[in-house]
Amino acid sequence: MNVVSIRGAITVEDNSKESILKGTLELLRTIEDKNHLQKDRVISMIFSATSDLDQAYPAKAARDMGYVNCGLMCFNEMAVKDSLGKCIRVMILYSSNVEQENVQHIYLKDAKSLRPDLAT
């Protein structure tokens, strides 16, 4: 086993609790599906959200999904002029047999623009 990092991001419709939690749930479910995650192998999840999202912690969606035995933290994304708004990002540290180069990073909705190299 080794530790890999899995990255992802999603943009949400608006600054509401419902939108933030729904978007985070969609992002995490897609990461789970594409990387065949097992909850007991997740070490930690670090979330960031742009400053225009302040109605809910993205980590709440992870806890609601059953991620209760790993560390979860939320931070404000660095404010960069003309950067993508209403964006939630995550980095998951995961104990896996998969090599880092085989991890599938997930960027959804307008967040796809953050990683054009991953476009399919």
Side-chain angles (χ1 to χ4, degrees):
M1 289 279 189
N2 58 321
V3 176
V4 296
S5 64
I6 305 168
R7 291 279 291 123
I10 190 168
T11 52
V12 296
E13 303 280 324
D14 55 52
N15 183 27
S16 68
K17 180 178 180 180
E18 178 183 283
S19 189
I20 292 167
L21 297 178
K22 181 181 173 187
T24 305
L25 183 67
E26 179 182 350
L27 175 62
L28 293 178
R29 283 187 175 153
T30 305
I31 290 172
E32 280 180 341
D33 181 56
K34 298 292 184 183
N35 290 283
H36 310 289
L37 292 192
Q38 296 175 20
K39 285 182 176 68
D40 62 336
R41 290 189 179 181
V42 174
I43 298 164
S44 63
M45 293 185 192
I46 300 169
F47 294 92
S48 71
T50 50
S51 61
D52 52 2
L53 297 176
D54 64 2
Q55 295 300 303
Y57 292 106
K60 180 174 180 354
R63 287 280 185 242
D64 291 347
M65 290 176 68
Y67 289 98
V68 296
N69 293 318
C70 61
L72 301 177
M73 294 209 55
C74 297
F75 297 94
N76 229 355
E77 181 67 27
M78 187 176 138
V80 175
K81 185 178 179 184
D82 300 323
S83 63
L84 185 62
K86 294 185 181 67
C87 187
I88 299 165
R89 293 169 171 87
V90 66
M91 181 172 66
I92 300 171
L93 296 180
Y94 186 69
S95 180
S96 177
N97 290 323
V98 174
E99 296 298 321
Q100 184 65 48
E101 60 267 12
N102 296 320
V103 166
Q104 292 196 38
H105 304 290
I106 304 298
Y107 289 78
L108 303 174
K109 299 185 180 178
D110 290 343
K112 289 179 182 181
S113 67
L114 299 171
R115 290 293 306 267
D117 59 307
L118 298 178
T120 54

